[in-house]
Amino acid sequence: MSTNPAFVEPGVETTRPDLRGTFGMAASTHWTATSTAQAVLERGGNAFDAAVAGAFVLHVVEPHLNGPGGDMTAVFATATDKAPTVLNGQGPAPAGATPEHFRSEGLDLVPGAGALAAAVPGAVDAWFLLLRDHGTWELADVLAYAIGYARDGHPVAPRVAATIATVQDLFRDHWPTSADRWLPGGSAPVPGTVLRNETYAAVLERLVDAGSDVAEDVAEDGADARAARIDAARDAWSRGFVAEAVDRFVRAPHRHASGTDHAGVIRASDMAAFRASYEPATTAEFRGCTIAKTGPWGQGPALLQTLRLLEPLEDARLDPSTVLGAHTIVEAQKLALADREAYYGDGDVPMDELLADAYSDARRALIGERASHELRPGSVSTRAGALPPLRETYTPGGEPIAGVGEPTVPGARGAAPVEDRGEPVVMETGETRGDTCHIDVVDRWGNIVSATPSGGWLQSSPTVPELGFCLGTRMQMTWLEEGTASTLTPGQRPRTTLTPTLVLRDGEPVMALGSPGGDQQDQWQLLFLLRTIVGGYSPQQAIDAPALHTTSFPGSFWPRTWTPGGLVVEDRLGDAVIAGLEALGHVVTRAGDWSLGRLSCVTRDPATGVLGAAANPRGAQGHATGR
């Protein structure tokens, strides 16, 4: 495919090759997870076996970006069923998590760190469900890789070491169980230190062992026996020793990002009530492709709305590398993200209307010649929720905390040194934005999966000592104000930022992609889709190209502030383009040359069977492999 002449030509050389092959491809945010997934493919496993094995390795090698106490979403298609399906691993708010309880604790926002912000962990059960229904391997074989790295150790990546160093005083002063876990010998590890987590290895072994006694108690059908063993592990997680350990531990008050101490409200009964599930993907058509996302309990449909706004525009207005293109794209994103704030949540969301031609036409007319500094949701037959507070700064009710209110999107306002850009900037309080992992796998049979695991990172809350990991903080994405589309409600899912993508042509899956990055995930993926589908870029060219995103909407992460008209850009966009955007009223933050986006993808050509993969060079950690 040649480059569209309406787009700026991509660089002659890419940072790494566009991989091509016919056997299998894997790409993720860490080379060890990618290599693990490929190893499973080489041993005869399918894409789902490989993705699950790689995902549990991500718990071990990227513990600052995800953990077993967190959540995940995936979108996939199988070799025999091409319809895009969403795997829901986003747990709901616990029964005791009410706005009234938080207010009684003196809080007006759900904290960004601490167990009070924990939704029910959903990732592990979701991965087990995917393995049971679509994988082929035994649980013991899939988990062997993660168990080995946890018990025997792995060389710690520079950003993991930097994250631990940032929060070491929090660990020593307030979270002693985390100090015991992550400060070996009493100090933060240096990059390359062989880091172990024997406790988590033992947890995984106990989950495997939970199914060891059920093989003789089921039908002789081997598939039934395998499924029963995986279900036994799911029960051990949600109704057994893991849930019991979580329940005991969170009852003790501990320091939160608010600067005050609180106990968690999650209980064993909350974990027992949750089961991961499947649902049809939410889709939209764009330039001959079907784009598949989660439902509006995630932010994914905002990408679909943006694509619907951009669909009929001339190609020159869709190039992110020009003033006209960047301005048009960002203004469309603002409109879609405003609808996210007004309508999206775990309830009845009128997606058919929000994606309809008439609505998109009316909204498109609002894209003006200058940058909007307003939050402008649209109007459909379903009444919008109350808009959340629009704060440019926020100070918590407790003691002032170092770093609160500072940008944590990588590189913003020079917050991160050059060598750290492309990774989250973690505050001393444990507050994190720009977090998360991603993994994509496609196999020679045509199975394909895109998954974004997150939450439960080591700095989110104190380590549960019996388990070797901590809980997530996904409830910080809910509001305590009444009547918003995402007001905290027990039993409902927080509106997650996790947003993997599957692309289909003529009903055939052709690409799986995603990126870490909180609110920026879909913004960076949009640039990729425009450059590949419209611009004719190869996947690696699109990943390498200069990135940008808007911050002109309330952030999903504590302290949930916004920058009216805010636009963060990589300097490689060029001085002339950046100056042109500033002249249109955009409040531009330069983020360095290589700072925004951590995309990966895998591809498949249904006509030839040729597979492909590409990965992000930023941060020197993402990796793609295959043959």
Side-chain angles (χ1 to χ4, degrees), residues 356-506:
D357 289 345
Y359 182 76
S360 298
D361 292 345
R363 296 287 279 163
R364 189 180 304 111
L366 297 177
I367 298 175
E369 295 182 359
R370 293 191 58 79
S372 170
H373 288 220
E374 301 176 59
L375 190 69
R376 300 181 291 172
S379 178
V380 293
S381 61
T382 300
R383 183 177 179 180
L387 288 181
L390 297 178
R391 304 182 180 106
E392 295 183 45
T393 60
Y394 175 78
T395 301
E399 291 295 319
I401 302 173
V404 168
E406 293 297 316
T408 50
V409 174
R413 300 180 195 165
V418 171
E419 64 272 16
D420 288 347
R421 290 173 178 171
E423 287 279 349
V425 178
V426 179
M427 310 312 292
E428 292 90 339
T429 61
E431 174 198 345
T432 308
R433 264 192 292 181
D435 58 274
T436 306
C437 304
H438 187 76
I439 186 167
D440 305 298
V441 186
V442 62
D443 64 31
R444 63 190 185 274
W445 301 290
N447 300 299
I448 188 168
V449 57
S450 170
T452 308
S454 183
W457 45 81
L458 64 88
Q459 66 275 16
S460 65
S461 65
T463 298
V464 182
E466 300 166 66
L467 303 178
F469 61 82
C470 60
L471 298 175
T473 54
R474 188 63 59 185
M475 284 198 308
Q476 67 183 291
M477 297 180 181
T478 64
W479 296 99
L480 299 182
E481 286 77 10
E482 296 297 331
T484 76
S486 52
T487 295
L488 175 62
T489 305
Q492 288 192 356
R493 291 169 289 189
R495 188 196 68 212
T496 183
T497 53
L498 306 181
T499 179
T501 302
L502 197 66
V503 180
L504 302 90
R505 282 197 184 96
D506 300 322

Side-chain angles (χ1 to χ4, degrees), residues 115-416:
L116 186 55
V120 176
V124 168
D125 190 67
W127 287 120
F128 285 178
L129 177 66
L130 185 68
L131 179 67
R132 186 196 72 181
D133 293 346
H134 298 290
T136 63
W137 277 24
E138 289 284 349
L139 182 62
D141 296 325
V142 168
L143 295 185
Y145 299 89
I147 291 171
Y149 285 120
R151 179 188 295 109
D152 302 329
H154 66 283
V156 65
R159 280 306 307 165
V160 180
T163 298
I164 296 172
T166 298
V167 294
Q168 61 182 318
D169 289 341
L170 170 68
F171 287 2
R172 291 192 185 99
D173 296 343
H174 300 288
W175 297 358
T177 58
S178 294
D180 291 342
R181 172 74 276 146
W182 299 108
L183 300 177
S187 59
V190 298
T193 298
V194 175
L195 198 62
R196 296 176 174 83
N197 191 341
E198 296 94 334
T199 305
Y200 183 45
V203 168
L204 295 179
E205 288 180 322
R206 287 186 68 179
L207 294 176
V208 171
D209 290 344
S212 62
D213 296 332
V214 304
E216 303 303 324
D217 299 330
V218 297
E220 294 182 2
D221 187 311
D224 288 343
R226 174 181 163 277
R229 285 189 283 273
I230 294 173
D231 280 339
R234 297 174 72 193
D235 284 342
W237 172 272
S238 61
R239 299 175 182 173
F241 74 98
V242 174
E244 293 165 359
V246 167
D247 190 318
R248 286 192 298 269
F249 182 73
V250 301
R251 293 174 184 264
H254 54 273
R255 182 57 47 90
H256 283 58
S258 55
T260 48
D261 293 350
H262 311 276
V265 295
I266 188 170
R267 298 292 180 259
S269 56
D270 296 309
M271 293 184 64
F274 174 76
R275 281 292 185 270
S277 59
Y278 304 114
E279 61 187 57
T282 302
T283 62
E285 301 301 310
F286 177 76
R287 299 293 183 95
C289 294
T290 301
I291 314 300
K293 304 292 289 183
T294 73
W297 48 268
Q299 69 170 330
L303 173 61
L304 304 182
Q305 285 192 248
T306 308
L307 290 171
R308 298 295 296 133
L309 294 173
L310 299 175
E311 164 86 23
L313 301 181
E314 58 268 27
D315 292 356
R317 296 186 67 181
L318 305 185
D319 183 358
S321 296
T322 67
V323 175
L324 175 62
H327 171 74
T328 303
I329 292 163
V330 167
E331 293 306 297
Q333 287 175 325
K334 291 176 187 176
L335 294 170
L337 289 165
D339 281 348
R340 184 192 78 167
E341 295 308 311
Y343 293 103
Y344 288 19
D346 192 10
D348 185 15
V349 181
M351 282 314 308
D352 287 345
E353 291 186 72
L354 293 171
L355 292 172
D357 289 345
Y359 182 76
S360 298
D361 292 345
R363 296 287 279 163
R364 189 180 304 111
L366 297 177
I367 298 175
E369 295 182 359
R370 293 191 58 79
S372 170
H373 288 220
E374 301 176 59
L375 190 69
R376 300 181 291 172
S379 178
V380 293
S381 61
T382 300
R383 183 177 179 180
L387 288 181
L390 297 178
R391 304 182 180 106
E392 295 183 45
T393 60
Y394 175 78
T395 301
E399 291 295 319
I401 302 173
V404 168
E406 293 297 316
T408 50
V409 174
R413 300 180 195 165

Side-chain angles (χ1 to χ4, degrees), residues 479-564:
W479 296 99
L480 299 182
E481 286 77 10
E482 296 297 331
T484 76
S486 52
T487 295
L488 175 62
T489 305
Q492 288 192 356
R493 291 169 289 189
R495 188 196 68 212
T496 183
T497 53
L498 306 181
T499 179
T501 302
L502 197 66
V503 180
L504 302 90
R505 282 197 184 96
D506 300 322
E508 289 278 350
V510 296
M511 185 182 300
L513 68 141
S515 174
D519 288 310
Q520 286 69 50
Q521 290 178 30
D522 275 330
Q523 298 195 59
W524 296 333
Q525 290 182 70
L526 173 66
L527 308 181
F528 177 94
L529 292 171
L530 294 174
R531 283 169 167 145
T532 54
I533 296 173
V534 184
Y537 287 31
S538 74
Q540 193 62 54
Q541 287 173 333
I543 289 173
D544 286 357
L548 52 85
H549 64 263
T550 179
T551 53
S552 190
F553 59 94
S556 294
F557 288 83
W558 190 88
R560 313 212 65 182
T561 54
W562 78 316
T563 303

Side-chain angles (χ1 to χ4, degrees), residues 57-118:
V57 168
L58 285 173
H59 291 166
V60 179
V61 299
E62 289 194 316
H64 65 313
L65 300 176
N66 82 140
D71 29 54
M72 65 84 74
T73 64
V75 58
F76 67 91
T78 72
T80 56
D81 184 358
K82 309 297 186 182
T85 300
V86 169
L87 173 61
N88 166 35
Q90 177 56 64
T98 65
E100 293 76 19
H101 176 76
F102 279 78
R103 292 193 195 98
S104 74
E105 297 276 316
L107 299 168
D108 59 359
L109 274 179
V110 178
L116 186 55

